[in-house]
Every structure is written in C-alpha cells, then in structure tokens.
Amino acid sequence: MILDGLSWWQAWICVWIGYAISGTFIAMTGRIGAMYHIGFPVVGRASFGIWGTLWPVLNRVAMACVWYGVQSWIGGQCVYLMIRSIWNSFADLGTFSDAPGIMSTGYFVGFILFWLGSLPFLWFPVHKIRHLFTVKAYFVPVAGIAFFGWAVGRAGGLGPIVHQPSKASGSDLGWGIVKGIMSSIANFATLIVNDPDFARFAQKPRDALWSQLLTIPISFGVTSFIGIIVASSATVIFDTEIWSPLEILDKFLDQGGAGQRAGVFIIGAAFTLAQLGTNIAANSVSAGTDMTALLPRYINIRRGSYICACIGMLINPWILTSSSSNFTTYLSAYSVFLSSIAGVILTDYYILRKGYLQVTDLYSAQHSGPYWYTLGINWRAYVAYIAGILINVVGFAGAVGNTVPMGATYVYNLNFFTGIIVSSVVYWLLCTYVSRVPATSDTWCEVGDSVRNPSLVYGANIDYDKDDEGDMTPPGEEASGKGGFSKDVKGVV
C-alpha cells in the first residue's frame, strides 16, 4: 500500500476496514461449524452437493499449499538473516539462478534449511507441540516491538515518518485505498471459507463469534501498524521505498557493527518462529484436514501436511514474492475463486435454509438424500460459482499485463465483493425461481446438535430447546428468553 502512494495513516485505515470485513465473514462461516460441529468439507456438501463439494475443498487445499510455500520462503529469508548475522560473507555466495525472486544462493539455502527444519514439526498433532506456540506468543511480539523501536530510532523519531505525505491523489488515491482494503481481505480469503474447520470445536456458537469478530481487526490492526511504520521508515533511513521488513533488516546488516548483527539475529529468530507456527496452524494442518475429505482411505492429517509441504516447495514461491505487485496480484486472483465459494455457502445457509441442516444426511451418499441433488452435484451452486468468477476474468487479464477496458479493471479492483455478491445473487435466483433446493426452512431454525433423533428427518421432534446462543433447555422448562424455538421443527420443506 505504501508503494501504491498511500501515506501511513491511509494504509492503516485500509487495514482496519479490510480486517473488520474479514472478521465479519469469518464469524458468519464459523457459526455454521460451531453450531453443528462440522468442518468445511461437510459444510460445503449442503450447498455444492455430496460430491460437488470436492472442488471447493480442492481449491482450499491448493491455497494452503501455495501459502505454505510462500511463508516457507519468507521463513527462509529469516534464516538467511540469522546466518548472515554470524557470517557476513554468507551474502557473497552469488546467485545460482536467474529465476525471479531468488536474490542470492544464500536466500535459497535459507529456504531449504527452513523447509527441512519444519518437517519434524508436521509429524506431531498440534496439541503436542503447543509449547512452541506458547513461546511464539511471548517472543514474537517483543521482537516486533523492538524492531519497531529500532526503525523509528534510526529514522530520527516518528515525526519524519508520519509527516510523509501520500504520493497518490485524486482517483489514483481512491482506487489505491480500495485495493488496499481488498488486499487485506484477500489475506483472510482462505479462513473465510474454511473457518468451520476450527470453529467446529467451539462448545457454543458465541465462543466462535467475539473471539474472531473483534480480535482479527484489533490484533492485525496493531501488527500492521508496526509493519506500515517500519516500511515507511525505509524512505527516511535509506531514501528508497522498501515493502519488505526483511529487506530493511538486510540493509541494517550492510551497515555492519556488532550491535546491528546481534539485533538482526534476535529479530530474525523471532520471525523464523513466527513463520513456523503460522505454517503449521494455518497451512499444513488446514491442508491435511481438508485432504482427508478428498481421499480419506489414503490420507490422514499427517500425510496431508507432508504433501502440502512438498507442493509448497514445488510451486517456486520465490516468484510470487519477487515484488509486492506480484504478491498482491496472486492474492487478488485466488480471492476471486474463494469469494465465489463463500457467496454460495453463506446464501445457502443464512438465506435459503435459514440455519437448518440435516447433519446425518450430510454424511450420506444415498440418492434419496436432500444433498445428493444431481449425481451428487448441485448444479445451481456451480452456475453461481462460475458467474462469480466470470465477472472478474477480464479484469484479471488486465492485472497480469494485458490491455483491457478500464471498466473491467475497476470491477476487478473490487474482486472479492463482486465475486461474493454475484455468486450469492445468482444462487438465490436459481434456488428461488428456477429450481428450489430441498431441506429448507421457512423460519430461522438452527437445530444444531439439540435434536435427539440422529436421523434428523423432516418434522423430527426436538427434545431440547436451543436459543440463539446455543444454550439448551430441557423438555418441560421455559426457554431462557433469548430466542429459543419450538420443540417441533416447523416449516421444513
């Protein structure tokens, strides 16, 4: 965003708005998992069909593998900084490849070391390496704040940094802000889709609400402030624009000095730990979990995690991170696919079904089941999904360097919203006026896990009342007054 001409405060506003929107969508998809205790591959069966959900799952797996590679490359840069802090000659190894993004042999060696060092951690379930995340929770924030203070000090205080004006104006400034918001949302496009994988472990739906709705914009707003100020400080310190904080640390090493080298080593170690923890929790586990839905007989979470790591290396992640424009173009492109998936799922659950799912049927491939549709695929969902992609295709062609009408570029700049809105509207129109989907409710009816009859057949009786927060009231007692519903499921089609 800074490289697009925005000032530091304009970039920070983009971050807050983008992550607030992301938090809202994440809470919406997460509620489905928290209410019914089902993961993303199962949630997708309600809207895309028993077999139709495999393509959305594959999309999510692909994104996790790419992110694993990207964050491994960033982790490798951190390892490179640690090694160079000890042996400065490590920077003089030269370049063995002309591939974009490979700045030196040292960076590639750092990537290989980080990738290999990550493999043992994929063997264990997350709860068995929880202390790794405990250390990360204390060490990384301290290092980030220290880096922030170091950069501000080198720039002569906050004054020279915050008084830098924006370099964009007029429509360029307006669209720069829009693209900044979209890039912030794109960072969470994956979690917007597969948050049920995590929220399904919540005891009550509200446990997955505020913990995400508030903490996502607040935590990322604070950490992004550090990144924005550090990136802005590069203009003051080095008289050049640098978008990567790791490149700034590398320039600190160019200036030499024992203090500089010690500081870079500690910060590099913290950032290495941060990338390792993020890769495990957000990428390898997510990919492994969703791969089990693709080939459950052959793939478990551990095997899926290692497959993810291998694919992450093979995609040549250094190409994606070779420049800020390459990276944001990639994020925006995949955001188109995931936003169309999210639009279908959210419309299906909140508008058409009004929260009603028949959980047992989500695990059944019987042709008479409500989620079998046509050969296990809901054609309505796929028509809507493709419509959400098509509206952005021309703009994407322009983003990768082709000449396209400006109108298409403006539409693509809003790619997440255009994708989710178009797919939602098309899906609603098809299901309302062309061909209705089965197993819907006329009134809001989140039965959750309160139905004692496990078949959840139409018109099943509910032995427990559940209010809108997921609290259950035994038969014969009054509901808590927070929106409990009748013991008989009514209005189910």
Side-chain angles (χ1 to χ4, degrees):
M1 287 180 271
I2 299 298
L3 296 186
D4 287 334
L6 273 61
S7 65
W8 73 270
W9 63 269
Q10 291 166 340
W12 200 32
I13 289 176
C14 292
V15 167
W16 276 97
I17 295 174
Y19 286 129
I21 294 171
S22 299
T24 301
F25 281 116
I26 288 170
M28 291 178 68
T29 55
R31 181 177 177 85
I32 308 174
M35 176 62 67
Y36 290 93
H37 305 294
I38 53 179
F40 163 60
V42 181
V43 169
R45 293 173 186 172
S47 50
F48 283 89
I50 297 296
W51 300 125
T53 192
L54 296 180
W55 175 250
V57 170
L58 185 61
N59 272 254
R60 174 62 185 98
V61 169
M63 189 67 165
C65 294
V66 172
W67 265 114
Y68 189 97
V70 168
Q71 295 197 274
S72 293
W73 178 253
I74 297 173
Q77 290 179 293
C78 298
V79 173
Y80 162 83
L81 291 172
M82 294 171 63
I83 297 175
R84 190 187 167 192
S85 298
I86 302 173
W87 298 288
N88 194 50
S89 59
F90 193 65
D92 301 327
L93 294 179
T95 302
F96 75 93
S97 172
D98 295 329
I102 299 183
M103 289 166 277
S104 72
T105 302
Y107 275 99
F108 193 78
V109 170
F111 167 66
I112 296 298
L113 291 176
F114 180 88
W115 187 85
L116 291 174
S118 301
L119 297 182
F121 294 95
L122 305 183
W123 181 266
F124 302 99
V126 174
H127 69 275
K128 290 189 176 181
I129 54 173
R130 59 188 180 278
H131 297 302
L132 172 72
F133 297 94
T134 303
V135 174
K136 173 190 170 185
Y138 287 99
F139 185 26
V140 176
V142 172
I145 294 172
F147 187 21
F148 171 81
W150 192 9
V152 169
R154 291 288 304 275
L158 278 173
I161 298 175
V162 301
H163 287 106
Q164 295 179 84
S166 62
K167 297 180 180 179
S169 60
S171 61
D172 290 338
L173 176 60
W175 283 111
I177 291 174
V178 169
K179 288 190 286 186
I181 294 173
M182 291 298 106
S183 65
S184 297
I185 298 174
N187 283 333
F188 270 100
T190 53
L191 190 58
I192 289 173
V193 170
N194 83 306
D195 191 57
D197 285 338
F198 304 96
R200 65 193 174 108
F201 297 106
Q203 292 185 355
K204 297 179 180 179
R206 64 167 172 261
D207 295 340
L209 174 62
W210 301 112
S211 60
Q212 300 183 107
L213 189 62
L214 296 180
T215 57
I216 287 175
I218 292 174
S219 60
F220 281 88
V222 172
T223 54
S224 296
F225 175 75
I226 295 176
I228 289 169
I229 294 298
V230 168
S232 299
S233 70
T235 306
V236 178
I237 301 171
F238 304 110
D239 195 27
T240 185
E241 294 179 335
I242 301 175
W243 77 284
S244 171
L246 299 180
E247 289 187 40
I248 296 176
L249 288 174
D250 199 30
K251 284 192 172 292
F252 283 176
L253 289 177
D254 289 340
Q255 298 175 343
Q260 306 264 44
R261 294 165 66 178
V264 170
F265 181 89
I266 295 173
I267 295 173
F271 288 177
T272 300
L273 180 60
Q275 296 303 316
L276 175 62
T278 301
N279 244 1
I280 294 171
N283 298 323
S284 65
V285 172
S286 294
T289 300
D290 292 339
M291 281 186 197
T292 61
L294 298 176
L295 294 169
R297 179 175 297 182
Y298 305 103
I299 299 178
N300 55 25
I301 295 178
R302 177 182 294 160
R303 293 172 184 171
S305 296
Y306 283 109
I307 293 172
C308 172
C310 293
I311 296 175
M313 171 184 278
L314 296 176
I315 56 122
N316 299 339
W318 46 84
I319 297 177
L320 298 175
T321 59
S322 59
S323 69
S324 62
S325 60
N326 281 359
F327 191 54
T328 53
T329 298
Y330 156 72
L331 285 179
S332 298
Y334 224 93
S335 178
V336 171
F337 293 91
L338 297 181
S339 65
S340 297
I341 294 172
V344 171
I345 290 176
L346 292 174
T347 301
D348 182 82
Y349 183 79
Y350 285 98
I351 298 178
L352 296 173
R353 302 189 189 279
K354 294 181 174 59
Y356 180 73
L357 294 178
Q358 299 178 186
V359 176
T360 303
D361 287 320
L362 290 172
Y363 292 90
S364 172
Q366 292 184 358
H367 296 190
S368 59
Y371 308 116
W372 180 254
Y373 300 111
T374 304
L375 301 178
I377 299 173
N378 183 5
W379 63 268
R380 311 162 193 80
Y382 273 92
V383 170
Y385 167 73
I386 293 172
I389 294 173
L390 287 179
I391 194 173
N392 288 296
V393 166
V394 179
F396 173 70
V400 295
N402 298 294
T403 302
V404 298
M406 284 304 300
T409 301
Y410 293 149
V411 169
Y412 184 72
N413 288 341
L414 294 164
N415 56 76
F416 183 85
F417 286 123
T418 52
I420 199 169
I421 291 173
V422 169
S423 63
S424 296
V425 171
V426 171
Y427 186 67
W428 178 80
L429 289 173
L430 290 174
C431 295
T432 303
Y433 297 105
V434 179
S435 176
R436 294 193 64 181
V437 293
T440 61
S441 174
D442 294 331
T443 58
W444 187 253
C445 188
E446 282 184 320
V447 295
D449 55 4
S450 63
V451 178
R452 177 160 300 190
N453 182 352
S455 69
L456 296 180
V457 294
Y458 307 137
N461 290 326
I462 297 177
D463 291 320
Y464 288 86
D465 288 337
K466 176 179 282 193
D467 61 24
D468 58 355
E469 295 295 345
D471 297 320
M472 288 182 283
T473 305
E477 295 185 16
E478 294 295 328
S480 61
K482 295 186 290 183
F485 56 83
S486 170
K487 293 187 183 68
D488 293 322
V489 180
K490 299 184 182 297
V492 175
V493 178

